[in-house]
Amino acid sequence: MAKSKSLEACPVYKTAMILDGKWTILIFRDLLANKVVRFNELRRSLGSISPKTLTERLTELEDQGLVSRKVYAEVPPRVEYSLTEKGKGLSAVFDSMAKFGDKWLR
Amino acid sequence: MAKSKSLEACPVYKTAMILDGKWTILIFRDLLANKVVRFNELRRSLGSISPKTLTERLTELEDQGLVSRKVYAEVPPRVEYSLTEKGKGLSAVFDSMAKFGDKWLR
DNA sequence: CAGCATCCTTGGAGATACTG
DNA sequence: CAGTATCTCCAAGGATGCTG
């Protein structure tokens, strides 16, 4: 979903832009289910995502304040991802989507 | 958002697939606001969508049973689009997205 | 009016190899 | 382990002209 000018005012549209991307909702799903996840852990649970794409999505989500990234100064490196309060705010959206899906899709 | 195998079971994911596409949520927005809309009317209110794309989206939505298409045997032709009950079922999703947007975005 | 047929462009994502 | 750097590709959309 590419950006559309003139709609940056619509809260529904802005929320939709957050959820855009082939893997985004799956990342949220994992982060909602597990409080804290590491990079390769997330990568494995998503299945076939490339590291480039995962990094891109996570960086975007972090820049939007939806995901927090904690780096531990260890060897080997450890990085943990989790949802911020803002990110957790999306759970209501997911709930309503689940309800719709359960009722109308298959 | 391209399809991902193995997730056709997740109701959230399936709902997200419905909403995918650059113009889809905007089309729903118009159809939720106005009970009935004609092709060029929709086209104008969306702004810069190409007729090809609008036809594609509407056909998809019709195939999914979300939008109903009524053709009147008149000259010039008149075609009216509106939401089905299933389509209206998405309003709860839009509501929760609006709430999130209002609270967290801007 | 409501599309359809064509051609073209773009960027999101995949694959793979490499590094601090 | 957690990424970065490249290269490649395809499908979603855009632009435009035509038609029943």
Side-chain angles (χ1 to χ4, degrees):
Chain A
M1 206 188 302
K3 246 172 289 178
S4 171
K5 330 237 175 193
S6 83
L7 278 156
E8 272 109 50
C10 174
V12 173
Y13 196 77
K14 287 187 291 188
T15 304
M17 293 311 295
I18 286 180
L19 298 178
D20 186 40
K22 179 173 174 183
W23 300 97
T24 310
I25 70 161
L26 302 174
I27 291 172
F28 273 106
R29 194 214 206 181
D30 269 12
L31 290 175
L32 281 167
N34 313 285
K35 303 166 58 80
V36 166
V37 192
R38 300 177 62 172
F39 188 85
N40 279 331
E41 195 179 349
L42 201 43
R43 209 184 146 184
R44 260 175 272 115
S45 80
L46 289 172
S48 59
I49 192 171
S50 74
K52 190 198 73 170
T53 303
L54 182 53
T55 300
E56 281 174 3
R57 287 293 132 268
L58 287 172
T59 303
E60 275 184 27
L61 296 177
E62 197 194 351
D63 290 345
Q64 295 172 321
L66 296 155
V67 163
S68 82
R69 180 175 180 269
K70 244 173 253 170
V71 185
Y72 295 84
E74 301 177 357
V75 178
R78 178 162 58 112
V79 179
E80 291 182 344
Y81 294 91
S82 59
L83 290 179
T84 61
E85 284 309 305
K86 181 177 175 184
K88 290 175 192 166
L90 282 168
S91 63
V93 175
F94 282 81
D95 287 347
S96 65
M97 289 173 73
K99 270 179 199 153
F100 176 85
D102 285 334
K103 179 165 185 184
W104 292 102
L105 309 176
R106 283 202 57 47
Chain B
M1 210 189 297
K3 246 172 289 179
S4 172
K5 330 240 177 195
S6 81
L7 279 156
E8 273 109 48
C10 174
V12 173
Y13 197 77
K14 287 187 291 189
T15 304
M17 294 309 295
I18 285 181
L19 299 178
D20 186 39
K22 179 172 174 182
W23 299 97
T24 310
I25 69 160
L26 301 175
I27 292 172
F28 274 107
R29 195 214 206 182
D30 269 11
L31 290 175
L32 281 167
N34 314 284
K35 303 166 60 77
V36 167
V37 191
R38 301 178 61 173
F39 188 85
N40 279 331
E41 198 179 347
L42 202 43
R43 209 185 146 184
R44 261 176 271 113
S45 80
L46 290 172
S48 59
I49 191 171
S50 74
K52 191 198 74 169
T53 304
L54 182 53
T55 300
E56 281 174 5
R57 283 289 91 56
L58 288 171
T59 304
E60 275 185 27
L61 296 176
E62 198 194 351
D63 290 346
Q64 297 174 99
L66 296 156
V67 163
S68 82
R69 180 174 181 270
K70 244 173 251 168
V71 183
Y72 295 84
E74 302 178 357
V75 177
R78 177 161 59 111
V79 180
E80 291 182 343
Y81 293 91
S82 58
L83 291 179
T84 62
E85 284 309 304
K86 181 178 176 184
K88 289 176 192 166
L90 282 168
S91 62
V93 175
F94 282 81
D95 288 346
S96 64
M97 289 174 73
K99 269 179 200 152
F100 176 86
D102 285 334
K103 180 166 184 183
W104 292 102
L105 308 176
R106 280 203 52 48

